[in-house]
Amino acid sequence: SIANSIHCNLLPSPIPQALSLPFIMNFSSIALRRLGATATRSSLLRRGGIALSSNYSGFVSSRHNYSTTSKLMADSTMDEMESGTKMYMSLYPEGSTDGGLRLGNIVPDFAAETTHGPIESFHKWKEGKWAILFSHPADFTPVCTTEIGRLALKYDELKSMDCLVATLSVDPVKSHEEWLKDVVAHCENDIEVKFPIIGDHDRSISTAYGMIDPGTSDDQDLPLTIRAVFIINPENKLMLTLNYPACVGRNTDEIVRCVKALQLSYEKSIATPANWPNNHADIPIGDGERTTEYKGSVFLLPTVSKEDADTNYPGYHTCEVPSDIPYLRLVKQEHVK
């Protein structure tokens, strides 16, 4: 049984100083309440995080190498704007104090057996790339069979976006290989499953990623992992999670949309509105006039300073609102492609 826990080492954060007025004016009230009024851009960028390590069977038992993160960032497509993605990502700690896995955290590394052969290190396997880790409750179950089929149909599109895919359940690899014949036969489209399926038979990966409770899984007749989706950026940071119960299948179109949105935010220092890209189809622009020119537009990240906004996105539109706070800064879709 799994009796060990993930160990966390907290790195100290420097004492922040006063925020500049332009930064305060361009930052959302939610973020300001979280940070207080005493953080600077430089202090945010210097912030430490938490390194995860694990001594589970099959795991790479080493503290995260922050010089590796720096190299990955140097080689990545992250926007170089200092007040943009760099600062926004610094708001998320790289680890948690209680061992839980949360957005912005460095995901645990692991070794695993898969339908495509062994993965010696998950971090090394996906080095410098985006990746999706997609768990399913069990082989030879109806909803999972359709999900793997639909994900296979999206694989080439995700690959063209430089995004790797790996799926997982607590079944052994041999079970996966036998079950994949059913997956291919049942799918109404002609498919080939080109991504690896991980056999997490000792439940170590599922436990480390919070997909299963190590305290109760041994007592369950069928210890199912939840339907989880983890989208991980090139620096091995968790950017998005989706959790579904065993009885509800996932929408793979939404997963692809999320990857597109995350990559666009990462590369352009923007945030995608609700229902993007089907958003802001008709908006007021003053003097009683309206326009459809901003359909599919995006917002500048709240951290982006006015100076950086004017330099990098001249002509952006600031939506007028009763508060008179200039935080709804729209950029047309064609300006971020």
Side-chain angles (χ1 to χ4, degrees), residues 264-286:
L264 194 61
S265 176
Y266 182 84
E267 296 172 1
K268 300 294 183 179
S269 294
I270 60 87
T272 53
N275 295 338
W276 177 84
N278 302 308
N279 59 286
H280 290 85
D282 181 30
I283 64 169
I285 55 174

Side-chain angles (χ1 to χ4, degrees), residues 46-322:
R46 290 197 307 267
R47 277 193 174 187
I50 300 160
L52 288 175
S53 65
S54 172
N55 56 1
Y56 286 146
S57 171
F59 269 69
V60 177
S61 301
S62 61
R63 180 174 175 170
H64 179 74
N65 187 333
Y66 285 89
S67 64
T68 301
T69 296
S70 298
K71 181 181 183 301
L72 288 173
M73 291 180 68
D75 295 339
S76 76
T77 57
M78 182 189 288
D79 192 359
E80 291 298 318
M81 190 191 307
E82 289 294 336
S83 69
T85 302
K86 286 184 178 181
M87 182 181 292
Y88 197 73
M89 285 300 300
S90 73
L91 303 179
Y92 292 90
E94 293 189 343
S96 63
T97 58
D98 60 3
L101 182 59
R102 297 185 178 87
L103 296 183
N105 291 176
I106 301 292
V107 299
D109 198 6
F110 58 83
E113 293 297 325
T114 83
T115 52
H116 287 193
I119 291 177
E120 300 298 333
S121 163
F122 179 65
H123 286 186
K124 188 69 175 176
W125 176 77
K126 67 165 291 298
E127 185 173 8
K129 295 181 180 293
W130 289 80
I132 295 172
L133 183 60
F134 185 101
S135 72
H136 65 272
D139 297 346
F140 300 102
T141 55
V143 177
C144 300
T145 299
T146 59
E147 286 186 321
I148 298 300
R150 300 309 299 182
L151 191 59
L153 288 171
K154 295 294 182 183
Y155 177 78
D156 287 341
E157 182 178 3
L158 289 165
K159 183 180 178 181
S160 72
M161 297 159 60
D162 209 24
C163 181
L164 299 177
V165 176
T167 64
L168 171 150
S169 83
V170 298
D171 300 293
V173 170
K174 189 176 187 307
S175 172
H176 293 333
E177 291 171 341
E178 293 173 353
W179 173 56
L180 283 178
K181 298 173 185 177
D182 290 357
V183 172
V184 172
H186 179 74
C187 188
E188 62 267 30
N189 302 85
D190 185 18
I191 63 167
E192 179 183 355
V193 180
K194 301 176 183 178
F195 46 80
I197 303 182
I198 295 167
D200 186 30
H201 63 281
D202 66 358
R203 310 172 198 168
S204 58
I205 304 169
S206 303
T207 301
Y209 277 73
M211 294 183 276
I212 202 166
D213 186 343
T216 61
S217 63
D218 285 339
D219 299 328
Q220 295 173 331
D221 292 332
L222 187 62
L224 299 179
T225 52
I226 58 174
R227 296 191 192 283
V229 177
F230 302 89
I231 302 179
I232 304 157
N233 80 2
E235 286 81 53
N236 299 323
K237 293 183 177 181
L238 179 61
M239 300 303 298
L240 181 146
T241 61
L242 297 170
N243 292 331
Y244 283 64
C247 60
V248 178
R250 285 159 286 191
N251 186 323
T252 53
D253 289 327
E254 172 62 7
I255 293 170
V256 171
R257 188 191 77 94
C258 287
V259 174
K260 289 179 179 179
L262 287 167
Q263 290 186 342
L264 194 61
S265 176
Y266 182 84
E267 296 172 1
K268 300 294 183 179
S269 294
I270 60 87
T272 53
N275 295 338
W276 177 84
N278 302 308
N279 59 286
H280 290 85
D282 181 30
I283 64 169
I285 55 174
D287 298 326
E289 296 185 5
R290 304 185 70 87
T291 182
T292 60
E293 293 182 0
Y294 285 89
K295 182 179 180 180
S297 59
V298 295
F299 288 121
L300 293 178
L301 286 174
T303 52
V304 175
S305 67
K306 186 178 187 306
E307 292 77 11
D308 281 341
D310 291 342
T311 299
N312 292 276
Y313 295 105
Y316 66 88
H317 173 70
T318 302
C319 300
E320 295 183 2
V321 287

Side-chain angles (χ1 to χ4, degrees), residues 10-40:
L10 181 63
L11 300 179
S13 297
I15 299 174
Q17 303 168 9
L19 274 172
S20 64
L21 182 59
F23 179 71
I24 293 175
M25 290 302 294
N26 282 305
F27 206 82
S28 72
S29 59
I30 294 175
L32 286 173
R33 284 197 296 272
R34 174 180 173 182
L35 293 171
T38 59
T40 63

